[in-house]
Amino acid sequence: MAEYLSPGVYVEEFESGAQPLEGASTSTAGFIGLAQRGAVEGLPQLVTSIAEFQRVFGSYLSENAFGSYRFLAYAVDQFFTNGGSRCYVMRVAPSDAKPASNTTPESAVLAFTAKNPGAWGNQIRIGIVPSSKAKTQIYEVLGTPGESKRYRVKNNAGFNPGDVVAFDDGTGKQYNRILSSQDNLIELESPLAGEADVVDNQLLPSKVLTTSEFTIHIFSGDEIETFEKLSLNVSAANHVDKILARSGIVTAQDLSQGTAGEAIAPFTVISGLPEESGKYDVIFGGGSDGSLANLSAGDFMGEDRGPGKRTGIQAFIDNDVVSIMAVPGVTDPNVQLALVAHCENLGSRFAILDIPREKTKVADVMTHRNIFDSSYCAMYNPWLQVFDPLDKRNIFIPPSGTVAGIYSRSDQTRGVQKAPANEVLRGVVGLEVQYNKGEQDILNPAGVNLIRHFTGQGTRVWGARTCSSNGLWKYVNVRRLFIFLEESIKNGTNWVVFEPNNDQLWARVQRTIDAFLTRVWRDGALLGNSASEAFYINIGRETMTQDDIDNGRLVCVIGVAPVKPAEFVIFRITQKTGSE
C-alpha cells in the first residue's frame, strides 16, 4: 500500500475492468524434413517466404539422391503458394552426414568447419587478407638505447597486451609482441632494432608502429560474410574464435599456440606467406549429405537432449507459436504416430498426415487410416501433380504442405471456424488418382479427406474430418476452434496468476472471457441467436471449493457451442399438384 507522508494531492492508477484478450494465431505451420543445409538441432527456423527457405535450407532435392524423403522444399513452396504466410522448419539429416572443413595447410592453425552437415559446405570459400586495427608513431625511447623495450607513443589505443605489432621504418618491417600498454606507454617483448632511428615526431610520420591482424571473407553461394581485423591473441576481444561465433556459415577454432614463440604476423602464421602476398584462399571439403540407408524413423522423431539441443519433432517442444504440423512425404507410421502424440500432448497444434503414395486402392488406404484414432490429426489423399523447378517437369508430391497452406488461407480469410474444405488448390495441375463418389462414400465416414477434381471448378479439398472415432470431434474446424479458444484464453489470462483469489478477481476474469467469447460469437464461430445461447462462463463459489482456494486454484468452467460444417446439403423436392 502506498505511503502518504506529507500533505498534498496524490494521483494513482489502478486496474478494475476487463483485460483485453487477443486471439491466438492458428495459421503458423511447422515442417520437418530433409534439406540441403540448415541446423539439425536446436530451435526451428522461422521462414516467411520460399526465397528465405532457400537461403537458409537450400534448394530442391533430387529424386536420385533423396528418394521419397525429398519433399520438404516442395511442401514449403506449396504452403506459401496456397496462402501461408509464415512457418517454422526443422531440418533432419542422416546419421552419417558430415560437415565440410578446411583441408588445406592452414588447418593446423585455424580449423574451419561448416555450420551444419551436408555437401553444401564443400562450396564454401574463405579469403584471408592482412589488416590492422591501429597504428601510431613512437615519440620517445624510455631507458637505455639498444636495451630498452619501453616506448612512449602518440596513442596506445587499440594496442593490447599479447598483440603482434609491426614496426615499419619505410625500408622493411620487424615484428614484436606487446607485453603491456597503458597511458601511451607500450612495452614490447624485445627491443626494436636500430632504436636510435625509431623515433618519429613528424606531422606525417614515415615510421609507424601498427598492430597486425587479418580479415576473413566467407563466401557460400550468394551469401557473403566479412569479419574484419581478427587476431590470434586469445585474450583480445577480437580473437578469431569469439568473432566467428557470429557467423551463420562456419565455425572456427584457433589451434595456434597463442602468445608463445616468436612474434610472427598472424597472416603468416595461418598461411605461411608474407603479408606482402596480399591474400590467401581456404578450400573446403569432406562434407557429405549422408546416405538414405542411415536415415531412420528415429531421425524424424528426434531426441530430447535438453533445451537448445532437441532434434526432429522434439525440437518443436520449445516452440509455442506453431499450430499446424506436418512431416511431408514421410508416411512411416512410427513417425506419424509420434507427430500425433506430440500434438495431443501439447494440445495446441494439429497434425496433417499423408498417405503412402503406393496406397491408392480403397482397402489399402483404409489399412493405413486404421492405425490412427485422434482428433488432433487429419489425413489427406491422393498425391498432387505440380511442376518441379529442379527437373523441369511435372512430379507428384504429398498433399500435406498444400493443405497446410489452405488451412492458413482459410483462417485468415474466413476464420478458424470455417472448415478448410471446398477450397481450390493453387499450383496443382493434376492428381495421381481420381476418386469417384462411390469410393468417397467409403473413405469419408472413416475420416480420409479426399482431394478431387471437378469439371469447371478446379481441384478442391473435399473433406473436413479428423481421424477421431469420437463423433464430438469428427470435424477439423471444431477441434481447431477449441485449440484457438484454449490458447487464446491461456495466453490472455497470465495476468491472473498470483492475484488475490477473491470476488473482485473472479468478476474481472469473467468480464475478460465474456468480452472475448462475445467477439468470437459475433464473428460467427459459435451457434446461437444471442451470446447466452452461444456460451456460458461459471466462476466463483459454484466452481471452487474451499480446498481449491486454500491450495491456490482458480477454477473457471466455460461451455461453448461450436458451429459445424454443412457437410451434407439436402434439398427435399416434391411435386406440387394443381389442387394444392
Side-chain angles (χ1 to χ4, degrees):
M1 182 176 290
E3 293 184 339
Y4 310 102
L5 303 179
S6 62
V9 176
Y10 297 86
V11 178
E12 299 171 350
E13 293 183 357
F14 70 98
E15 295 180 355
S16 61
Q19 289 272 11
L21 201 158
E22 185 177 356
S25 171
T26 58
S27 58
T28 304
F31 295 103
I32 302 141
L34 265 64
Q36 282 186 336
R37 56 179 294 189
V40 295
E41 68 175 16
L43 295 175
Q45 177 72 44
L46 173 64
V47 174
T48 56
S49 68
I50 187 59
E52 184 177 0
F53 174 88
Q54 292 177 345
R55 285 195 300 270
V56 177
F57 293 98
S59 188
Y60 304 94
L61 303 180
S62 70
E63 183 176 8
N64 292 335
F66 297 95
S68 60
Y69 295 105
R70 66 190 180 106
F71 294 111
L72 174 64
Y74 299 95
V76 173
D77 189 0
Q78 278 288 300
F79 172 76
F80 289 114
T81 299
N82 280 274
S85 57
R86 60 189 178 276
C87 65
Y88 286 83
V89 179
M90 191 66 200
R91 181 194 176 198
V92 171
S95 57
D96 59 342
K98 297 177 182 178
S101 60
N102 56 324
T103 57
T104 35
E106 81 291 333
S107 58
V109 178
L110 278 182
F112 293 104
T113 306
K115 201 78 171 182
N116 41 69
W120 72 273
N122 296 333
Q123 306 303 317
I124 296 174
R125 295 293 180 268
I126 293 180
I128 302 177
V129 296
S131 61
S132 176
K133 70 176 184 295
K135 70 177 180 178
T136 189
Q137 60 199 93
I138 298 175
Y139 280 169
E140 182 183 359
V141 179
L142 302 177
T144 305
E147 298 179 2
S148 176
K149 297 180 288 186
R150 301 180 70 239
Y151 304 88
R152 185 170 65 86
V153 298
K154 180 179 180 180
N155 188 351
N156 74 313
F159 291 83
N160 304 314
D163 281 354
V164 173
V165 294
F167 179 73
D168 188 352
D169 60 3
T171 60
K173 290 184 179 181
Q174 50 180 306
Y175 294 92
N176 219 310
R177 184 176 283 111
I178 298 176
L179 294 182
S180 66
S181 174
Q182 188 174 8
D183 299 330
N184 292 339
L185 297 177
I186 291 178
E187 181 179 1
L188 300 179
E189 196 172 55
S190 59
L192 292 174
E195 284 189 334
D197 299 325
V198 299
V199 176
D200 190 337
N201 293 307
Q202 301 300 315
L203 182 62
L204 297 174
S206 60
K207 303 173 184 179
V208 292
L209 185 70
T210 62
T211 58
S212 186
E213 284 85 28
F214 57 96
T215 293
I216 288 180
H217 303 283
I218 306 173
F219 305 90
S220 176
D222 295 332
E223 290 184 81
I224 301 176
E225 293 181 344
T226 298
F227 300 94
E228 298 181 329
K229 302 168 184 175
L230 307 181
S231 171
L232 296 180
N233 180 6
V234 178
S235 61
N238 63 331
H239 183 243
V240 60
D241 283 9
K242 301 173 185 176
I243 301 300
L244 259 67
R246 302 199 299 261
S247 172
I249 302 175
V250 301
T251 59
Q253 183 179 6
D254 180 7
L255 303 178
S256 68
Q257 301 303 311
T259 59
E262 181 183 357
I264 303 175
F267 177 83
T268 304
V269 173
I270 296 169
S271 65
L273 303 174
E275 286 190 314
E276 291 74 18
S277 62
K279 184 179 179 182
Y280 179 76
D281 291 325
V282 177
I283 308 301
F284 276 65
S288 170
D289 290 324
S291 60
L292 293 182
N294 287 282
L295 191 66
S296 67
D299 295 317
F300 292 94
M301 295 161 70
E303 297 180 29
D304 191 346
R305 304 170 183 167
K309 296 291 184 180
R310 298 183 175 98
T311 64
I313 295 172
Q314 299 300 319
F316 281 89
I317 293 175
D318 297 321
N319 184 299
D320 57 0
V321 180
V322 164
S323 56
I324 310 166
M325 294 284 294
V327 188
V330 180
T331 56
D332 187 313
N334 297 297
V335 176
Q336 293 186 325
L337 286 170
L339 182 66
V340 173
H342 169 82
C343 295
E344 288 180 332
N345 291 336
L346 293 182
S348 61
R349 52 199 58 172
F350 191 86
I352 301 175
L353 306 180
D354 296 314
I355 291 176
R357 181 180 175 184
E358 66 275 8
K359 294 188 176 181
T360 57
K361 296 181 179 179
V362 171
D364 295 336
V365 172
M366 289 298 298
T367 299
H368 191 77
R369 158 64 187 94
N370 291 334
I371 298 172
F372 308 92
D373 185 2
S374 173
S375 66
Y376 284 87
C377 66
M379 189 170 289
Y380 292 83
N381 204 40
W383 285 37
L384 314 175
Q385 188 178 45
V386 301
F387 180 73
D388 182 3
L390 182 65
D391 293 338
K392 304 296 187 293
R393 62 184 178 88
N394 288 340
I395 63 170
F396 291 102
I397 67 168
S400 53
T402 308
V403 173
I406 289 173
Y407 277 27
S408 180
R409 183 176 83 207
S410 178
D411 289 354
Q412 295 174 54
T413 57
R414 297 289 302 276
V416 70
Q417 73 275 4
K418 162 69 170 64
N422 199 6
E423 299 281 348
V424 176
L425 278 64
R426 300 172 182 168
V428 175
V429 297
L431 302 173
E432 185 170 38
V433 177
Q434 177 64 276
Y435 289 98
N436 59 33
K437 184 180 182 301
E439 290 161 333
Q440 188 166 20
D441 287 345
I442 300 172
L443 295 174
N444 188 71
V448 177
N449 301 312
L450 293 184
I451 300 170
R452 296 180 61 188
H453 180 79
F454 297 95
T455 303
Q457 300 181 51
T459 304
R460 295 175 178 258
V461 177
W462 208 246
R465 296 207 176 192
T466 68
C467 293
S468 176
S469 61
N470 186 341
L472 291 175
W473 302 105
K474 68 180 178 180
Y475 292 117
V476 171
N477 61 300
V478 173
R479 167 47 71 196
R480 296 187 68 236
L481 173 64
F482 271 77
I483 291 175
F484 165 73
L485 296 176
E486 292 163 5
E487 288 300 298
S488 300
I489 293 172
K490 182 179 74 173
N491 296 337
T493 55
N494 274 334
W495 60 271
V496 177
V497 181
F498 299 118
E499 289 291 310
N501 196 4
N502 55 23
D503 293 280
Q504 288 83 358
L505 178 65
W506 304 340
R508 291 190 66 193
V509 171
Q510 176 141 2
R511 288 196 297 270
T512 296
I513 300 176
D514 184 270
F516 170 68
L517 291 179
T518 299
R519 186 172 76 247
V520 172
W521 165 67
R522 285 175 177 163
D523 289 340
L526 303 178
L527 284 172
N529 294 319
S530 64
S532 60
E533 294 179 0
F535 63 88
Y536 66 82
I537 305 168
N538 292 332
I539 187 172
R541 295 292 179 181
E542 57 187 7
T543 63
M544 288 175 280
T545 64
Q546 188 59 43
D547 179 69
D548 289 323
I549 297 174
D550 292 341
N551 284 283
R553 293 189 290 263
L554 186 154
V555 181
C556 180
V557 178
I558 303 170
V560 298
V563 294
K564 297 180 180 179
E567 188 178 18
F568 309 104
V569 180
I570 303 167
F571 295 98
R572 293 193 170 97
I573 302 174
T574 187
Q575 186 178 42
K576 183 178 185 302
T577 64
S579 60
E580 291 178 334

